[in-house]
Amino acid sequence: MIIGYHASHEQFPPSELLALVKAAEQAGFHAAMTSDHIAPWSERQGNSGNNWAWLGAALSGTAFPFGSLAIPGGWRYHPAVLAHLVATLAEMFPSRLPWIALGSGEALNESVVGSGWPSKDERNARLRASADILRALFRGDTVTAHHPWFDVDDAKLWSLPATPPRLYGAALTPETAAWLGPWADGLITVRKPRAELRMVVESFAGNGGFGKPMALQLQVSWSETRDEARIAAWQQWRNAAAPPHLLADLRTPGDFDKLTSDFEPGEIEGVIPLVTKGLELLDMIADAQSLGFEEIYVHNVSRDQAGFMRFMSREVLPSVRKRDVGL
């Protein structure tokens, strides 16, 4: 069981986030993961550094592995350009970038380049074509491919890692998980109520994903009191209350803020679990493990990351280690 730290580009400037992943390693986390955004989900979050530039510094300043979300569909990143970025990091830091998770993207991040925002079907087609290009380039092939959205002409990566990252697929729904099953190397998703999460897992496993690794992003709001945790979640991450079918189509942080402007603090626990005790988080981790997740990346949405590190090092991570060795 890998318990990782989710590094939130949306909430912290890159320099501070670099210090946080170093602190996470010292606290005993086993790994870290990041997202790849150009904008935060909310104007209150206030940051969004470039993930790939930052990862070079983060890998250099730590010793544990990182996973990262990646959007290869030809908006901000042409798949050949993304492959070049990823391969360079993986060559410099062997085994430290074990996977990237490919997603179909959100208008919030991808529409900034001015090429429009297509339907989910087209975004999935772009994603699938991009995955094939990434795999071929990571093998060292010379790639030529022509698609309605992007072309590749005699592309080749001249500096290759000994072992390229696995290509996980990112899914929020059972339908997307089922579509990913046959071709993705693994699955990453976000925490939901157990019945909903089980449907995502079963859809992936039942459509070609059985036996493949699965990772979970576990969002919580930690504080020493439930009231503090509730207010922190409401202030920082009430964008989680946006209807799932709108997540990919809202274009600005202000759109998310407007959509959730009437959402009250008392409602936040319905979308972000509040945590004050280690046993509460350990139970969530055990529940996810029972569904087959081998990697769990904890995202504390409050800004008190120093207090969260102390909490994890004292109340959670030692107990995870004991469970792993059967003590």
Side-chain angles (χ1 to χ4, degrees), residues 159-183:
S159 295
L160 287 168
T163 303
R166 298 188 298 274
L167 302 185
Y168 285 12
L172 295 178
T173 66
E175 293 76 18
T176 298
W179 176 72
L180 292 170
W183 63 266

Side-chain angles (χ1 to χ4, degrees), residues 228-312:
E228 290 173 343
R230 181 178 297 107
I231 292 301
W234 180 75
Q235 288 177 339
Q236 283 293 292
W237 218 263
R238 64 177 177 266
N239 51 279
H245 68 280
L246 296 179
L247 286 177
D249 294 321
L250 297 176
R251 291 180 175 268
T252 69
D255 290 339
F256 280 89
D257 288 340
K258 183 177 179 180
L259 186 65
T260 58
S261 62
D262 294 331
F263 194 76
E264 298 293 335
E267 302 174 86
I268 195 65
E269 195 169 359
V271 292
I272 301 289
L274 309 182
V275 170
T276 61
K277 298 180 174 60
L279 186 59
E280 295 169 333
L281 187 51
L282 285 166
D283 285 346
M284 284 185 255
I285 289 170
D287 188 51
Q289 188 175 19
S290 73
L291 290 173
F293 290 97
E294 300 168 340
E295 302 176 48
I296 297 172
Y297 295 87
V298 184
H299 176 197
N300 170 41
V301 303
S302 86
R303 285 194 178 270
D304 184 5
Q305 298 294 301
F308 174 65
M309 301 289 186
R310 292 191 295 271
F311 162 75
M312 291 294 294

Side-chain angles (χ1 to χ4, degrees), residues 1 19 22 41 60 70 75 182 219 240 264 279-280 293 310:
M1 172 59 67
K22 293 178 181 179
W41 297 103
S60 181
W75 293 282
Q219 287 180 331
E264 298 293 335
L279 186 59
E280 295 169 333
F293 290 97
R310 292 191 295 271

Side-chain angles (χ1 to χ4, degrees), residues 202-252:
E202 290 178 348
S203 294
F204 181 70
N207 290 277
F210 182 78
K212 295 179 180 180
M214 296 191 302
L216 182 72
Q217 182 182 344
L218 173 55
Q219 287 180 331
V220 300
S221 182
W222 172 85
S223 191
E224 293 183 353
T225 71
R226 294 188 71 79
D227 284 344
E228 290 173 343
R230 181 178 297 107
I231 292 301
W234 180 75
Q235 288 177 339
Q236 283 293 292
W237 218 263
R238 64 177 177 266
N239 51 279
H245 68 280
L246 296 179
L247 286 177
D249 294 321
L250 297 176
R251 291 180 175 268
T252 69

Side-chain angles (χ1 to χ4, degrees), residues 1-66:
M1 172 59 67
I2 293 172
I3 305 300
Y5 174 73
H6 177 78
S8 179
H9 281 289
E10 301 93 331
Q11 294 176 280
F12 303 99
S15 56
E16 184 175 352
L17 197 63
L18 182 59
L20 288 174
V21 292
K22 293 178 181 179
E25 185 174 40
Q26 290 298 312
F29 282 93
H30 311 143
M33 72 164 284
T34 69
S35 55
D36 179 21
H37 284 209
I38 200 170
W41 297 103
S42 166
E43 293 178 358
R44 293 181 300 277
Q45 294 164 0
N47 285 279
S48 205
N50 181 276
N51 177 61
W52 304 104
W54 180 86
L55 267 174
L59 286 160
S60 181
T62 60
F64 61 10
F66 283 73

